[in-house]
Amino acid sequence: MPLVSVITLSYNKPQYVVDAIESVLNQSCQDFEYFLIDDGSNEKTRKVLELYKNYPNVQFTQLNVSEEERKACYRPAMLLNEYYDKVNGKYLFFLADDDVLHKDCFKIMSEFLEANSDKHVCYHQQRVIRQYPNGRIEQDNPRDYDILFGTENQRPNCVIDGGQIMHRVSCLEKIEKPYCDTGWTHSCHADGVFMDKLTQHFIFYPIPRFLSIHRITPLSFNSKTV
């Protein structure tokens, strides 16, 4: 059993996904399995992703997706529903294809959960940047909320990002399927809806370390101003 199961879904972000993948492969904690899924990307992105298909720890999947299939539902949520049931690790972590991890992210988060058997979900602080087509980068407000989610009126929906949390895979046993809502209504915050489900059963414990960078780019799904 690997210690951490990691999932990255990628679609047409060749200039960003390499940084995301490399930040996983270069983790100081190497006890992980990495599900890297190409969700029917264009040729440029496919060529980038295929470079990693034979790497140790990487389970690479390349999908063919019709336009009808892509329009039928919010595919990231659909794929997470599928791949959450395929993981073999003790802990689960999702990384978007344009975000970047600190090299000690898995080490620090898994050590917290290993040392606290009564705790099931933790989340780290996250820096946010806006990256413009001309190369200009702006710092945005960091996601560093020191809140114990899991009590009445405390919900992480759109407060923290899905790429900030690590949880025990056993948590999924408490979540009614489907884990994620595949409808377009919640497409901008499908991760928040899933985290809301987690808070019905578990407290979210903060780790006071900045362990990832969330990049808002012209290719971000919910980018309105870049």
Side-chain angles (χ1 to χ4, degrees):
M1 176 191 293
L3 186 65
V4 182
S5 294
V6 192
I7 298 175
T8 293
L9 315 173
S10 189
Y11 178 64
N12 291 354
K13 295 181 185 175
Q15 61 271 62
Y16 303 113
V17 70
V18 170
D19 292 337
I21 296 171
E22 292 288 341
S23 75
V24 172
L25 298 180
N26 292 320
Q27 285 292 297
S28 58
C29 170
Q30 287 287 304
D31 189 4
F32 64 83
E33 62 176 358
Y34 190 18
F35 290 90
L36 180 59
I37 299 101
D38 172 14
D39 190 30
S41 297
N42 56 32
E43 183 177 359
K44 184 176 182 180
T45 307
R46 286 201 308 271
K47 288 182 177 179
V48 170
L49 295 173
E50 285 176 349
L51 296 174
Y52 297 96
K53 64 182 180 181
N54 294 320
Y55 270 59
N57 303 355
V58 174
Q59 298 190 38
F60 178 67
T61 303
Q62 200 165 56
L63 303 175
N64 294 313
V65 184
S66 68
E67 286 303 312
E68 291 74 17
E69 289 174 315
R70 197 168 299 284
K71 293 176 181 178
C73 67
Y74 182 55
R75 287 191 59 81
M78 185 205 75
L79 291 172
L80 289 179
N81 287 336
E82 177 182 348
Y83 279 87
Y84 279 178
D85 283 335
K86 293 184 177 183
V87 301
N88 304 294
K90 187 174 183 179
Y91 306 118
L92 182 55
F93 190 92
F94 170 75
L95 179 67
D97 58 352
D98 50 7
D99 290 352
V100 181
L101 300 179
H102 185 282
K103 66 181 180 65
D104 292 326
C105 181
F106 297 166
K107 177 179 183 293
I108 292 170
M109 299 189 83
S110 63
E111 284 181 351
F112 174 85
L113 293 173
E114 288 283 281
N116 297 277
S117 59
D118 60 324
K119 297 174 174 57
H120 293 77
V121 187
C122 61
Y123 67 100
H124 62 258
Q125 296 169 292
Q126 184 180 66
R127 300 193 187 281
V128 181
I129 64 172
R130 293 180 178 271
Q131 193 163 333
Y132 292 82
N134 62 4
R136 182 166 61 92
I137 292 177
E138 292 180 354
Q139 298 289 333
D140 210 332
N141 293 326
R143 296 187 173 111
D144 58 354
Y145 304 94
D146 188 12
I147 301 172
L148 298 179
F149 293 112
T151 58
E152 187 176 0
N153 297 324
Q154 292 182 336
R155 292 290 182 261
N157 193 344
C158 294
V159 177
I160 64 174
D161 184 72
Q164 285 178 261
I165 71 168
M166 179 179 286
H167 62 84
R168 298 181 188 275
V169 172
S170 60
C171 290
L172 297 176
E173 298 171 4
K174 294 281 189 179
I175 306 299
E176 183 179 355
K177 293 184 179 182
Y179 305 119
C180 302
D181 186 344
T182 62
W184 285 101
T185 302
H186 295 131
S187 57
C188 286
H189 59 283
D191 53 349
V193 175
F194 172 70
M195 288 190 287
D196 275 350
K197 291 183 177 182
L198 282 176
T199 60
Q200 295 175 26
H201 304 279
F202 308 103
I203 293 176
F204 283 39
Y205 290 91
I207 293 177
R209 290 282 302 273
F210 284 98
L211 297 177
S212 68
I213 297 174
H214 176 68
R215 295 187 291 184
I216 302 174
T217 74
L219 299 179
S220 299
F221 178 80
N222 60 346
S223 178
K224 304 298 183 184
T225 60
V226 174

